[in-house]
Amino acid sequence: MLHNPKSLRPQRDPVVDRLLAEIRGLDEASVQRSMLPAGCYTEPAFFEFEQKEVFARTWICVGRVEELPEPGDVMPAEVAGEPMIIARADDGQIRALSAVCQHRGQIIPCEKAKGRRNFRCPLHFWTYDLQGRLVGAPRMGDAAAMRSLREAVALPQARVEIWHGFIFVNLDPEAPPVAEGFAKLEPFWDGYRDAGLVPVPPSMGSTPLPWNWKTHVENFTDAYHPEYVHRGTHDFAPSTHPDGDVVFTPMRQGDNAIVRSVPMIRPDGGMMLDGWGEPAMFPAIETLAPEQRKRLTFALMPPSMTLVFAPGAVAYTLIRPVAALGTLAANDRVTGGGWLLPQSTLDLPDFAERAATVLKGASKIWAQDLPVNLSMQAGKNSRFLPDGIYGPLEVTLQQFNFWLFRAYTRAG
Ligand code: FES
Ligand SMILES: [Fe+2]
């Protein structure tokens, strides 16, 4: 396992100590009343702290099982800053192997591929099998020396758990099972489970977005801003409605999902050319209950994933924080894909056009979010930044603060 207590207690930067002291001076009630210190969103040292001590103890989504259907299928991933290889071996198991060669630490390159039998380090050609075991090391001595080397050396592995077909990796061997933290999402899978959904994976954006990962996901989870920022693209799914407003699920200790469900003004809406609206490009899934066809449910699963349960699809994004001011996103609003769809939708003769239209509609929403994200991030540098005031539509922001507070104080 990768969890290395040494790496979890580095010499800590005084900036991080100051921020953690400030956070420790708060309590669960006060973090739900005000924003966390701005430095948590801007300081490179604090980002390093998050990587090493928060993300390394959190379940990180790296993709879907369908992306690795056969033994020999492999793909790269990065988990809490660690380069990893996700591989399905001959025993059918999916593993998360460290890509750091156990000879002298060269990073073993890996691209998404099929039919791989092994991984060879480019520096001295040490070779590992799909389970991470050393199988070859040239010029390292006679057969007996090789045998003992093979017994002693393997690529370290991290924990892998599968949740509804999503591959989650955790560097912490002590972390509670992935499903525990996402238990509150189970009821939302009703009806989708029986629909035989097939993934259309997204591709990760190649340019980091110039803001902190928390700025990114706060925009996703904010039920207050759509009415103002997303005029013309989100009016079909308002946070307030005469037949029932946005519903927030309660946040309990150990929860790793922050969930809100918003009404649509008519059932069976979804993404279309102008954002959320009708007719939806992905037809409603027949196995869903009528109540599910009237709402969109948004789930934030920090730090690596978001889900939207819509009548026609489950849409997901993958997020990879890479710097204090750098966030990579694989996202239906930027790169397309990130959908779980019934086969009947994929078989529609005009599916490609429908998918392109969804991307256009989602891009309009994205174009509205871009300037406000830049601006929210810029505000963190101001001496006049307020502590923040949360209104009734900002419960998910308070819940996210609660999640961060727990993660930071547990790690600190
Ligand atoms: S560092 Fe990998 S073979 Fe030497
Ligand atoms: Fe938004």
Side-chain angles (χ1 to χ4, degrees), residues 101-106 121-126 128:
C101 177
Q102 293 300 293
H103 174 218
R104 276 174 40 212
Q106 170 88 20
C121 177
L123 192 52
H124 312 100
F125 279 19
W126 283 31
Y128 303 86

Side-chain angles (χ1 to χ4, degrees), residues 14-34:
V15 169
V16 177
D17 276 337
R18 180 179 51 75
L19 287 166
L20 286 177
E22 212 177 312
I23 291 165
R24 272 196 226 100
L26 305 169
D27 56 29
E28 288 180 1
S30 53
V31 292
Q32 294 177 67
R33 272 198 306 274
S34 57

Side-chain angles (χ1 to χ4, degrees), residues 122-177:
L123 192 52
H124 312 100
F125 279 19
W126 283 31
T127 304
Y128 303 86
D129 70 10
L130 293 167
Q131 296 191 33
R133 298 173 297 206
L134 182 71
V135 290
R139 303 205 191 287
M140 286 299 291
D142 60 14
M146 231 3 262
R147 213 168 23 251
S148 51
L149 205 53
R150 272 204 295 265
E151 274 160 23
V153 176
L155 295 175
Q157 292 184 33
R159 275 175 74 191
V160 172
E161 288 190 16
I162 309 299
W163 181 81
H164 292 282
F166 292 99
I167 305 169
F168 280 88
V169 177
N170 200 321
L171 304 189
D172 180 0
E174 309 294 328

Side-chain angles (χ1 to χ4, degrees), residues 10-161:
Q11 197 73 9
R12 194 172 272 158
D13 190 293
V15 169
V16 177
D17 276 337
R18 180 179 51 75
L19 287 166
L20 286 177
E22 212 177 312
I23 291 165
R24 272 196 226 100
L26 305 169
D27 56 29
E28 288 180 1
S30 53
V31 292
Q32 294 177 67
R33 272 198 306 274
S34 57
M35 300 193 293
L36 291 177
C40 302
Y41 293 74
T42 58
E43 293 288 352
F46 195 80
F47 177 75
E48 290 306 313
F49 157 77
E50 285 182 315
Q51 283 272 41
K52 286 205 171 77
E53 302 196 32
V54 177
F55 305 161
R57 295 175 167 189
T58 309
W59 289 100
I60 305 289
C61 184
V62 297
R64 293 279 310 176
V65 289
E66 296 88 345
E67 294 179 75
L68 305 173
E70 308 286 342
D73 292 349
V74 302
M75 62 183 183
E78 195 186 288
V79 176
E82 289 286 348
M84 308 289 295
I85 298 170
I86 314 298
R88 194 187 285 273
D90 292 334
D91 61 357
Q93 291 294 311
I94 293 178
R95 289 182 177 76
L97 308 171
S98 165
V100 177
C101 177
Q102 293 300 293
H103 174 218
R104 276 174 40 212
Q106 170 88 20
I107 293 173
I108 302 169
C110 173
E111 289 186 349
K112 193 165 187 173
K114 300 187 76 60
R116 285 292 289 265
R117 305 220 56 77
N118 50 45
F119 310 104
R120 192 172 70 183
C121 177
L123 192 52
H124 312 100
F125 279 19
W126 283 31
T127 304
Y128 303 86
D129 70 10
L130 293 167
Q131 296 191 33
R133 298 173 297 206
L134 182 71
V135 290
R139 303 205 191 287
M140 286 299 291
D142 60 14
M146 231 3 262
R147 213 168 23 251
S148 51
L149 205 53
R150 272 204 295 265
E151 274 160 23
V153 176
L155 295 175
Q157 292 184 33
R159 275 175 74 191
V160 172
E161 288 190 16

Side-chain angles (χ1 to χ4, degrees), residues 41-380:
Y41 293 74
T42 58
E43 293 288 352
F46 195 80
F47 177 75
E48 290 306 313
F49 157 77
E50 285 182 315
Q51 283 272 41
K52 286 205 171 77
E53 302 196 32
V54 177
F55 305 161
R57 295 175 167 189
T58 309
W59 289 100
I60 305 289
C61 184
V62 297
R64 293 279 310 176
V65 289
E66 296 88 345
E67 294 179 75
L68 305 173
E70 308 286 342
D73 292 349
V74 302
M75 62 183 183
E78 195 186 288
V79 176
E82 289 286 348
M84 308 289 295
I85 298 170
I86 314 298
R88 194 187 285 273
D90 292 334
D91 61 357
Q93 291 294 311
I94 293 178
R95 289 182 177 76
L97 308 171
S98 165
V100 177
C101 177
Q102 293 300 293
H103 174 218
R104 276 174 40 212
Q106 170 88 20
I107 293 173
I108 302 169
C110 173
E111 289 186 349
K112 193 165 187 173
K114 300 187 76 60
R116 285 292 289 265
R117 305 220 56 77
N118 50 45
F119 310 104
R120 192 172 70 183
C121 177
L123 192 52
H124 312 100
F125 279 19
W126 283 31
T127 304
Y128 303 86
D129 70 10
L130 293 167
Q131 296 191 33
R133 298 173 297 206
L134 182 71
V135 290
R139 303 205 191 287
M140 286 299 291
D142 60 14
M146 231 3 262
R147 213 168 23 251
S148 51
L149 205 53
R150 272 204 295 265
E151 274 160 23
V153 176
L155 295 175
Q157 292 184 33
R159 275 175 74 191
V160 172
E161 288 190 16
I162 309 299
W163 181 81
H164 292 282
F166 292 99
I167 305 169
F168 280 88
V169 177
N170 200 321
L171 304 189
D172 180 0
E174 309 294 328
V178 69
E180 244 175 74
F182 298 150
K184 71 194 315 191
L185 286 170
E186 282 315 310
F188 295 101
W189 282 105
D190 286 352
Y192 291 98
R193 271 194 208 90
D194 314 318
L197 298 181
V198 178
V200 180
S203 37
M204 188 59 86
S206 52
T207 309
L209 300 160
W211 49 68
N212 188 268
W213 72 276
K214 297 185 286 296
T215 303
H216 188 92
V217 299
E218 284 174 1
N219 179 271
F220 170 85
T221 206
D222 176 359
Y224 189 16
H225 83 292
E227 189 176 351
Y228 313 105
V229 171
H230 295 306
R231 288 198 177 160
T233 59
H234 219 301
D235 310 327
F236 195 84
S239 291
T240 57
H241 191 268
D243 297 340
D245 295 342
V246 56
V247 174
F248 302 105
T249 60
M251 189 73 182
R252 297 187 195 87
Q253 192 169 319
D255 277 351
N256 284 323
I258 292 152
V259 183
R260 81 180 193 277
S261 192
V262 300
M264 289 185 290
I265 57 176
R266 278 179 294 281
D268 291 349
M271 288 303 288
M272 37 76 81
L273 187 59
D274 293 316
W276 296 112
E278 62 186 355
M281 286 298 102
F282 297 151
I285 297 168
E286 308 219 326
T287 47
L288 298 182
E291 272 315 299
Q292 291 173 294
R293 294 170 67 157
K294 290 185 189 156
R295 285 189 164 254
L296 300 174
T297 298
F298 296 78
L300 163 60
M301 296 138 87
S304 68
M305 189 177 183
T306 66
L307 276 183
V308 181
F309 295 91
V314 177
Y316 66 97
T317 73
L318 298 183
I319 297 157
R320 194 195 303 154
V322 293
L325 299 183
T327 302
L328 284 173
N331 171 318
D332 58 346
R333 307 193 299 181
V334 178
T335 58
W339 306 313
L340 307 182
L341 297 168
Q343 191 60 49
S344 55
T345 299
L346 292 163
D347 289 343
L348 291 169
D350 58 348
F351 174 73
E353 268 162 57
R354 287 169 183 263
T357 304
V358 167
L359 188 53
K360 275 189 202 147
S363 300
K364 286 181 188 165
I365 297 181
W366 179 245
Q368 294 165 327
D369 277 327
L370 199 78
V372 296
N373 282 354
L374 286 169
S375 190
M376 279 302 278
Q377 186 65 50
K380 299 290 185 196

